[in-house]
Amino acid sequence: LLMVLVRSAESWVRPYVGDIFRTILPRIDDGSPQLASKLLDTVAALARVGGSELVPHLDKLLASIMHALSDQSSAPKRMSALKALNNCASHCGLVISPYIKYPQLFTILADLVKTESSDVSLEAIRAIGALGAIDPHQYKAASSKGSSAGSSAGGTVATTDKAALSGKKGAKRGKRGRHAGPPPNVMTVLSSDEHRDTLVGDIVTDSYGREFSGEKYYIRVSIEAILNILNDPAETLAHQQAAQSLISMLGPLQTNGAPFLGRIVPAVLRAMEMAPPSQADFYVEKLGRLVCVSRQLIRPYLEPLFELFDSEAPGTERLQSALVGLVEVLAEALSGDLGSHISTVLPFLVSVIDRDTNESRQVTDRTLHALRILSPSLEGYLFLVMPRLVSLLDLTITPINVTESTLGCISSIVTSVNCNSFASRIILKLIQLLQCSPTHQLQTLVIDTLCTLMEQLQDEFTLFMPMISSTMKKR
């Protein structure tokens, strides 16, 4: 009746799987063959419904299954044991390790395939397939250890079963350390949007029996471990190293790292919030590296990054430089298309230019490079950018190298968007700069910029030709 209930009402029984299993497990070996057969059938049904609840008891269950498989007096009991073994392998992650713990298991299954009826033989084949393939060298080593330990204990399966059931006694004789193997390594990986995963031995499985192995599995475990460190406020001292390791891992992964970006970006931002203000530039640089590595793949997760560009928030020169660098990599990764976020980024860049009071104006120079990358997206925002650029064409307040960068930025913008409304202001400033230009290289750049404007303005440029010609004659 209990087995029928489990099979017929899986969703209702699932919360009680653990209690039911703990109740019937001790009775499997103590009852009659008929009762043991029914109990093993119930175990098979429970494994399919809630396999993760059986994981902590797999050692004892495996010993009972081995005892049932070796019972030659009852064919139904052996059939039920095979079903239980098959379902535990499929839904509880009980793979490979049974061959290591019980080297004689494969021989028993092979004999059942050869000697039993077609139904039992077919179920044995299913169990062999579900248990998976073991490395031949590892199996040979386990078999040699198992045979030597078996001869010293009498060489029977029953002796092995007793040793497995009496863990303390077996540990004193040293058998567990030699051939029984360590207890299953159970590790749970918790995720807010995914099912709970349980690792048994070397194979991970979730509550639905899906297995994960290979390169992607190890990538996932590694990234989960680093994310746990980044999300833990008690590990703030390790956050920088964890962020560095995480970004270094994503480089070689390329597209394989895309499924993790939705959790990595918030984790790095959270670590940045918990860090002292002096470390903010470090995390911004790592976010820039993340964008550079992921490129278009990171587009769905960029919304929180644009919140960093606050034009009114004060910041150190290093932080501003790092944020400008983040704008650069964002623009390059997205081919200059920041969408609606351009209205957030441009006020920030302009504020960086206004606040840069350093004599070298290195942050301004880097900001100009960012504006050159964004130039195709500046249509409709020239009123915000162009006045600041024109004001930089003043050698009394701007170093020559920054002036040259400004000329290059203006040329790039003029080539990309229509600047007719600002043409007169730009040309008049260029003429003034040409009159007081101290180097031949700067003069050449000014003339190149005028030529770029001429290509765009065409006939309208003739209005400025007399003034430009007069200045050129004086120079």
Side-chain angles (χ1 to χ4, degrees), residues 379-407:
E379 187 79 44
Y381 297 96
L382 290 177
F383 70 94
L384 185 63
V385 176
M386 196 57 72
R388 298 303 194 284
L389 297 180
V390 172
S391 66
L392 291 176
L393 298 176
D394 186 352
L395 293 176
T396 60
I397 60 174
T398 309
I400 292 180
N401 64 314
V402 177
T403 304
E404 293 174 351
S405 298
T406 304
L407 290 171

Side-chain angles (χ1 to χ4, degrees), residues 146-418:
S147 60
S148 62
S151 61
S152 64
T156 61
V157 176
T159 305
T160 305
D161 293 342
K162 291 178 182 180
L165 287 171
S166 55
K168 293 182 179 179
K169 188 175 180 180
K172 290 180 181 178
R173 290 195 299 263
K175 290 184 178 181
R176 188 158 138 189
R178 289 198 302 268
H179 66 89
N185 173 24
V186 180
M187 180 182 69
T188 57
V189 181
L190 300 179
S191 174
S192 59
D193 55 350
E194 296 180 0
H195 299 292
R196 184 178 68 185
D197 297 338
T198 306
L199 181 67
V200 182
D202 294 326
I203 301 296
V204 67
T205 179
D206 65 11
S207 57
Y208 296 100
R210 297 174 300 190
E211 296 175 2
F212 303 94
S213 61
E215 182 180 357
K216 290 186 178 180
Y217 162 67
Y218 295 109
I219 292 171
R220 177 182 176 184
V221 170
S222 301
I223 292 178
E224 290 284 352
I226 297 177
L227 287 175
N228 288 339
I229 296 175
L230 282 176
N231 292 325
D232 188 356
E235 298 286 349
T236 52
L237 296 178
H239 282 178
Q240 281 190 326
Q241 188 174 0
Q244 176 66 48
S245 302
L246 196 59
I247 306 305
S248 299
M249 286 177 59
L250 289 176
L253 292 180
Q254 298 180 353
T255 56
N256 289 333
F260 307 102
L261 293 176
R263 298 181 59 198
I264 291 174
V265 173
V268 176
L269 289 172
R270 194 176 300 112
M272 179 179 173
E273 293 176 358
M274 291 185 285
S278 59
Q279 297 179 5
D281 58 294
F282 169 84
Y283 290 101
V284 173
E285 290 175 358
K286 295 309 163 189
L287 288 170
R289 176 60 182 164
L290 177 63
V291 172
C292 187
V293 167
S294 306
R295 301 191 71 81
Q296 292 286 344
L297 296 174
I298 203 172
R299 185 183 284 272
Y301 315 107
L302 289 179
E303 193 70 30
L305 295 186
F306 288 103
E307 298 177 3
L308 298 174
F309 304 114
D310 187 354
S311 58
E312 298 181 359
T316 63
E317 183 178 344
R318 290 177 57 187
L319 178 58
Q320 289 183 345
S321 179
L323 288 171
V324 172
L326 180 58
V327 174
E328 290 177 329
V329 295
L330 283 170
E332 291 175 353
L334 305 179
S335 302
D337 180 20
L338 299 186
S340 60
H341 298 295
I342 191 71
S343 59
T344 302
V345 172
L346 288 180
F348 167 75
L349 294 177
V350 171
S351 69
V352 171
I353 295 175
D354 292 339
R355 292 175 182 174
D356 188 10
T357 57
N358 194 291
E359 292 183 2
S360 62
R361 303 293 290 267
Q362 292 181 357
V363 179
T364 298
D365 197 14
R366 191 168 189 178
T367 305
L368 292 171
H369 181 260
L371 287 172
R372 291 187 68 170
I373 300 174
L374 293 172
S375 55
S377 305
L378 296 182
E379 187 79 44
Y381 297 96
L382 290 177
F383 70 94
L384 185 63
V385 176
M386 196 57 72
R388 298 303 194 284
L389 297 180
V390 172
S391 66
L392 291 176
L393 298 176
D394 186 352
L395 293 176
T396 60
I397 60 174
T398 309
I400 292 180
N401 64 314
V402 177
T403 304
E404 293 174 351
S405 298
T406 304
L407 290 171
C409 183
I410 292 175
S411 297
S412 179
I413 295 174
V414 169
T415 304
S416 303
V417 298
N418 190 338

